[in-house]
Amino acid sequence: MKNKKNEKDLALPQILNLDDDFSLIKRFIEGDESTFSVLVQRHKEKIRNIIYLTLGNHDLVDDIAQEVLLTIYKNLSRFRFESQFTTWLYRITINKCKDHLRKINIRHIFLSFKDSDEEPGYEQSPETSDVKEIVHKAIEKLPDKLRIPLLLKDIEGLSYREIAESVQCEIGTVKSRIFRARESLKTLLKPYEQELL
Amino acid sequence: MKYFYKSNYRAGGKYELLSAYLDNELSDEDVKKLEEELQFSKELQEKLTELKKIKQLTISSIKPVQENPFFEARMAAALKIKNPWHYKFRRFSPVFSVIALSIVLMIVLRYNPKIIDRLVDQQKSSITAFYKENLKPLLYTANLTNEDIFNFAFYHQLPLDSKKKQYLLLGSDKNGKQYFEIKDAGFIQNMNNLARFSKNLNLTETQQRQMDSILASYAGDLQAQVLVNEKNTVAINPNIWNFNKAIAIDLISFAQKVNGKESLKVVPPGYNQLPSAKALKQMAKEIKSAKNNKYIFFTSDSIFSDQYQFNKGEFNKEMENWSAEMNKNLKQIDKQFKNFNVNIHFGDNFAKFQKGSSQNKGFNVYIDSNVCRVDIPEIVIPPIVLPNMGKLSEKIDSLIKYFGSYSFSIPNPGKDKNFNYKYFFSDSSKGYKFNYKAFGFDSSFTPGNSRADQMLKKRFKNFSFNPDSMASIFKMFMGDSSNGREMQKQLKNFEKRMEQFQKQMEQMQKQLKKNVPEEQQGKPVEI
């Protein structure tokens, strides 16, 4: 199925429109900075969603999205047109999110001295009986490596290839991680089988 | 946290493939194989159902992030802040420009403190020079008559053009402030004032001439009082009010001198309390001698007062040159305008005119009830078969048409240009032969009109036109109607063609001279 997709892509010649991403980037490089606002308008929601899915925090979405877009603005003139703009965009977004998570984790190391007994896991009893809330909390408990590919696939609908390029790993790794994420999720949700049925 | 998945993980197992199958990420071959296995493996089917359930739960658990309407505005603001240095510079560039300009100005003004004054003066002088360029006296074209100057003196009105359609009026309000205005001629009522003035004073011929010379002496000075140019600038010398008084005083002074008693009666209202003759003379002298070169300039965008020296001598010279050039052109036109005679014969007996016609020089036009014949003068036609006579007869035919109803207008002749029109009436004892003159022809012919009317009605009853009076014939012939002009044009064309024809004939004559017997040459041939 995947190969079929690639064949289709090869069969169709790529016709650039005036307003496709590459054309807009070219115009931006030539000095027409107004095209950047078109790119922002076009991709902002995707960026914000990925950030939200990756970090699981509404409050940080706009700040991180802004950082992502500023990074793109500064580096857009160096874009090499070798991959799709969205792939590059998602990679920067994921990296920004990872940076943020790393900062949080570093902070968490210092905080963990105080709250060392707070261990996430299925042993903890849930405080809510709402199915969506239970699943959401279970997803949040997944490690980043599993959670991010899972959400990029199930929520954002990215292909394994796009996810692999975004998180900078092999496609096989993505496939494996998504499966492992689902298996872990199943384990985490086992105590709530009755509610979920 | 690794324990979450390790316990359930089966490396390389079919479950991972099932997960990829669920995500539509397997190749066709793998899909085929897996689907075959799925048919026979209950375990795999259960696992697929389980994975589907997990995927569904994942999708349903996450709400999309809410849109932030201010995101783009925030983004734009952030871009401005985080932009590179040149963006910041561009933002403040107007401020830098103003500062730089101020510094430059300060330096310039420090070393050239009067530069602004000089610039203003320069600008001012260039603007005024622009408006003062090529000023010409407005009243030059008005051809001021003595009557006009008289009216200006006592009624403060001056015609601005030769047709006297517009007048310049001088006035003063209750506070004594003087003003002027330009009005259409509709309101002007006091005409022939000078004639009445002269009559009431009982002037002798000599005195009349004296008064005329007084008035004429002001014409030139008055012209220079109102100047105009093609930039719609009107420049008025305030001294025009003084001239107004000066002329009035001069005339009153003259009136007192020639007829002291009667002068009081003829002077218009407001001028009847006359000072002594000596005082009047002194006043006129003072006003005349007061040279004022300061004009008030009315332009399309400003009004200003400035010095202006109108060079009357230069202007007159210019006008003389222009006049000379015009005369030269007129002479050239005159040269092209040949003298010719047109003899027109009216009658009902065509044969009677044939005898005398050949003696007349010029064109002889015979008009009968049936025919119109044109004798062409001074053309020696060789006795050969003439070519292109058909065209000539067409021309004559077209001429007949116009003779049938109208005639041509006669150009205004000069002293040396005589257009002799002779009218002959065939069987009448009285023929008419007259030299056309431009002026007064109506009065000359008025006494004979009634007799001519009777005669014409009788003689022309068979003609296509029926003139009511002799005067109407003259009007028709001399009128400036479109048909009259057309006739004139036709005749000119005809004349040109005749000249060409004559030249052609002369050439042909030269060529054929050798072959034609001498005795046959020079005999006129009837057309």
Side-chain angles (χ1 to χ4, degrees):
Chain A
M1 195 173 279
K2 191 179 163 187
N3 290 340
K4 226 178 187 178
K5 269 189 179 177
N6 290 340
E7 277 170 18
K8 272 186 182 178
D9 290 345
L10 288 169
L12 293 170
Q14 193 183 13
I15 299 165
L16 295 179
N17 293 320
L18 276 176
D19 60 343
D20 67 14
D21 287 346
F22 278 10
S23 303
L24 290 170
I25 294 164
K26 276 178 188 168
R27 281 164 61 190
F28 179 86
I29 292 166
E30 284 162 7
D32 184 5
E33 293 195 357
S34 65
T35 56
F36 187 72
S37 62
V38 182
L39 289 169
V40 170
Q41 205 174 15
R42 188 176 291 176
H43 298 291
K44 64 175 182 180
E45 289 312 317
K46 199 85 171 172
I47 295 166
R48 290 175 79 247
N49 271 330
I50 291 170
I51 295 164
Y52 171 63
L53 295 172
T54 312
L55 301 178
N57 189 341
H58 278 113
D59 302 334
L60 295 167
V61 168
D62 285 342
D63 291 340
I64 305 288
Q66 195 171 293
E67 274 184 46
V68 169
L69 289 167
L70 283 174
T71 307
I72 286 166
Y73 179 82
K74 283 176 189 170
N75 297 294
L76 197 56
S77 54
R78 291 197 287 273
F79 184 71
R80 285 181 293 181
F81 301 96
E82 288 169 356
S83 62
Q84 286 201 339
F85 173 66
T86 46
T87 310
W88 186 59
L89 186 73
Y90 299 154
R91 193 189 304 158
I92 291 171
T93 309
I94 300 289
N95 285 340
K96 284 283 170 194
C97 292
K98 278 180 181 175
D99 289 346
H100 188 76
L101 287 169
R102 206 173 292 127
K103 284 176 197 168
I104 291 172
N105 285 339
I106 291 165
R107 213 177 297 156
H108 192 71
I109 291 166
F110 295 102
L111 290 170
S112 63
F113 288 116
K114 284 183 181 176
D115 312 316
S116 55
D117 52 343
E118 282 182 21
E119 190 71 29
Y122 59 88
E123 292 89 356
Q124 285 182 335
S125 59
E127 290 168 2
T128 176
S129 58
D130 182 44
V131 174
K132 286 181 183 176
E133 191 68 24
I134 291 164
V135 177
H136 194 205
K137 287 202 170 181
I139 291 168
E140 278 182 352
K141 283 173 184 171
L142 290 174
D144 298 337
K145 277 187 179 179
L146 304 185
R147 186 169 46 90
I148 292 167
L150 176 75
L151 293 177
L152 289 177
K153 180 68 212 175
D154 286 351
I155 308 299
E156 282 304 311
L158 302 188
S159 68
Y160 281 6
R161 178 186 284 274
E162 284 174 319
I163 296 166
E165 283 174 353
S166 301
V167 298
Q168 291 166 295
C169 66
E170 295 298 318
I171 294 173
T173 311
V174 172
K175 185 167 71 174
S176 167
R177 283 180 183 177
I178 288 172
F179 169 67
R180 283 155 60 195
R182 283 170 180 156
E183 284 295 290
S184 301
L185 207 54
K186 190 188 87 179
T187 311
L188 284 167
L189 295 172
K190 205 168 188 177
Y192 312 104
E193 266 181 336
Q194 282 184 343
E195 285 91 338
L196 295 173
L197 290 169
Chain B
M1 288 172 74
K2 283 179 183 175
Y3 60 91
F4 286 129
Y5 51 87
K6 262 190 177 173
S7 57
N8 298 313
Y9 180 67
R10 294 176 187 180
K14 300 288 179 189
Y15 291 173
E16 196 174 296
L17 280 174
L18 276 177
S19 173
Y21 174 73
L22 197 63
D23 290 334
N24 233 358
E25 293 280 350
L26 285 183
S27 65
D28 292 347
E29 198 182 340
D30 289 343
V31 168
K32 199 178 175 183
K33 281 181 186 174
L34 191 65
E35 282 178 349
E36 280 173 7
E37 281 187 56
L38 267 170
Q39 283 179 354
F40 305 105
S41 171
K42 198 181 176 185
E43 187 197 350
L44 284 177
Q45 285 172 11
E46 283 174 357
K47 190 65 194 174
L48 184 64
T49 312
E50 188 186 284
L51 286 169
K52 272 183 185 172
K53 178 76 181 170
I54 296 289
K55 186 174 170 107
Q56 208 176 349
L57 283 170
T58 308
I59 292 165
S60 63
S61 68
I62 305 293
K63 293 174 191 170
V65 68
Q66 284 181 339
E67 280 189 25
N68 182 355
F70 307 108
F71 179 75
E72 280 183 62
R74 273 185 63 188
M75 186 66 224
L79 271 174
K80 280 181 188 174
I81 294 163
K82 299 218 169 186
N83 249 327
W85 65 273
H86 68 263
Y87 190 91
K88 287 177 186 171
F89 181 79
R90 199 193 304 165
R91 199 175 156 202
F92 290 104
S93 59
V95 179
F96 292 140
S97 307
V98 170
I99 292 167
L101 194 68
S102 306
I103 292 166
V104 170
L105 267 175
M106 282 163 74
I107 293 165
V108 169
L109 289 172
R110 170 73 181 80
Y111 294 103
N112 299 290
K114 288 184 178 176
I115 192 167
I116 290 176
D117 291 340
R118 278 208 299 273
L119 280 171
V120 169
D121 288 344
Q122 204 176 346
Q123 193 66 17
K124 198 176 155 188
S125 62
S126 66
I127 289 169
T128 54
F130 171 77
Y131 284 123
K132 282 153 73 175
E133 209 173 49
N134 202 25
L135 281 166
K136 295 276 183 289
L138 175 67
L139 302 170
Y140 184 80
T141 55
N143 292 327
L144 294 176
T145 61
N146 285 348
E147 171 77 22
D148 294 330
I149 296 166
F150 180 84
N151 285 335
F152 172 67
F154 293 111
Y155 300 99
H156 315 295
Q157 61 194 31
L158 260 181
L160 292 177
D161 52 85
S162 57
K163 290 180 182 174
K164 306 195 190 318
K165 284 183 178 174
Q166 283 191 318
Y167 278 78
L168 174 78
L169 297 179
L170 302 181
S172 54
D173 61 12
K174 288 175 186 174
N175 302 322
K177 283 187 177 177
Q178 285 153 329
Y179 63 85
F180 75 90
E181 53 192 347
I182 293 170
K183 279 191 172 178
D184 287 336
F187 71 99
I188 302 294
Q189 290 172 350
N190 300 318
M191 301 307 282
N192 295 322
N193 294 316
L194 178 61
R196 283 192 278 118
F197 183 80
S198 306
K199 194 179 174 185
N200 289 333
L201 279 175
N202 297 320
L203 296 179
T204 63
E205 203 173 322
T206 317
Q207 287 168 338
Q208 181 67 48
R209 276 204 299 276
Q210 279 177 349
M211 194 175 73
D212 285 347
S213 74
I214 290 169
L215 289 167
S217 70
Y218 283 99
D221 287 330
L222 273 177
Q223 279 174 12
Q225 303 308 303
V226 185
L227 308 173
V228 289
N229 65 8
E230 66 280 3
K231 287 149 194 150
N232 286 335
T233 307
V234 180
I236 292 184
N237 193 328
N239 213 24
I240 196 167
W241 278 273
N242 290 334
F243 269 100
N244 174 253
K245 288 168 195 163
I247 300 165
I249 289 165
D250 242 4
L251 287 172
I252 293 161
S253 176
F254 173 77
Q256 275 191 334
K257 193 179 168 186
V258 297
N259 199 338
K261 290 176 185 174
E262 294 299 318
S263 63
L264 282 171
K265 296 176 187 172
V266 297
V267 172
Y271 289 89
N272 45 13
Q273 292 178 351
L274 294 170
S276 68
K278 196 180 175 185
L280 284 171
K281 204 174 180 182
Q282 183 60 28
M283 279 168 73
K285 196 180 173 185
E286 279 174 15
I287 290 166
K288 272 185 175 180
S289 62
K291 294 277 180 190
N292 189 357
N293 293 328
K294 200 156 197 176
Y295 281 78
I296 303 163
F297 291 85
F298 299 85
T299 70
S300 52
D301 53 10
S302 60
I303 298 173
F304 60 91
S305 173
D306 202 2
Q307 294 286 338
Y308 182 76
Q309 182 68 47
F310 175 67
N311 194 332
K312 200 174 153 188
E314 197 179 310
F315 175 74
N316 286 336
K317 201 177 171 184
E318 200 180 318
M319 287 296 112
E320 278 169 17
N321 289 340
W322 180 79
S323 178
E325 199 178 331
M326 285 301 291
N327 284 332
K328 196 180 163 187
N329 289 338
L330 281 171
K331 276 177 187 173
Q332 280 180 350
I333 292 164
D334 281 353
K335 275 183 187 173
Q336 293 165 7
F337 202 64
K338 282 181 76 177
N339 267 347
F340 63 92
N341 296 326
V342 178
N343 303 311
I344 303 171
H345 304 261
F346 294 99
D348 52 8
N349 192 345
F350 177 72
K352 286 191 180 182
F353 306 122
Q354 288 185 348
K355 267 189 179 179
S357 65
S358 59
Q359 294 165 1
N360 290 330
K361 287 183 178 180
F363 290 95
N364 285 309
V365 183
Y366 298 93
I367 302 171
D368 203 340
S369 55
N370 300 316
V371 74
C372 172
R373 192 179 100 167
V374 180
D375 275 6
I376 303 157
E378 295 174 14
I379 299 172
V380 180
I381 303 168
I384 53 167
V385 179
L386 293 169
N388 296 327
M389 289 309 285
K391 284 186 180 176
L392 186 63
S393 63
E394 279 173 21
K395 206 76 196 169
I396 293 165
D397 285 345
S398 68
L399 283 170
I400 292 166
K401 280 182 198 170
Y402 289 102
F403 268 100
S405 54
Y406 298 104
S407 186
F408 51 90
S409 66
I410 296 166
N412 190 5
K415 279 183 181 175
D416 302 329
K417 307 285 180 290
N418 289 318
F419 291 85
N420 301 316
Y421 291 86
K422 295 172 185 175
Y423 286 77
F424 298 95
F425 297 95
S426 60
D427 51 357
S428 168
S429 57
K430 310 228 174 194
Y432 285 86
K433 178 181 174 182
F434 60 93
N435 287 329
Y436 166 69
K437 285 181 183 177
F439 304 106
F441 69 88
D442 276 344
S443 57
S444 307
F445 286 94
T446 306
N449 276 357
S450 58
R451 193 173 56 181
D453 284 351
Q454 289 172 0
M455 191 255 312
L456 281 167
K457 275 177 187 172
K458 190 181 172 186
R459 298 294 170 208
F460 289 84
K461 61 185 177 184
N462 294 326
F463 282 13
S464 55
F465 68 96
N466 185 22
D468 290 322
S469 72
M470 191 68 180
S472 69
I473 294 175
F474 297 136
K475 279 175 188 172
M476 271 201 299
F477 273 73
M478 296 163 194
D480 197 26
S481 67
S482 60
N483 290 303
R485 280 197 298 274
E486 181 59 31
M487 183 64 198
Q488 195 177 4
K489 197 178 160 187
Q490 290 267 350
L491 272 176
K492 279 182 182 175
N493 287 337
F494 181 67
E495 189 190 358
K496 275 183 188 174
R497 286 186 68 86
M498 283 299 105
E499 280 173 6
Q500 286 172 0
F501 180 67
Q502 191 174 5
K503 281 176 188 173
Q504 282 176 3
M505 290 300 108
E506 281 168 4
Q507 283 174 358
M508 284 178 74
Q509 194 178 14
K510 281 176 189 173
Q511 286 173 1
L512 295 166
K513 208 168 185 179
K514 291 172 187 175
N515 302 326
V516 177
E518 281 184 3
E519 60 272 17
Q520 286 181 12
Q521 287 180 21
K523 283 187 178 179
V525 175
E526 279 193 0
I527 302 163

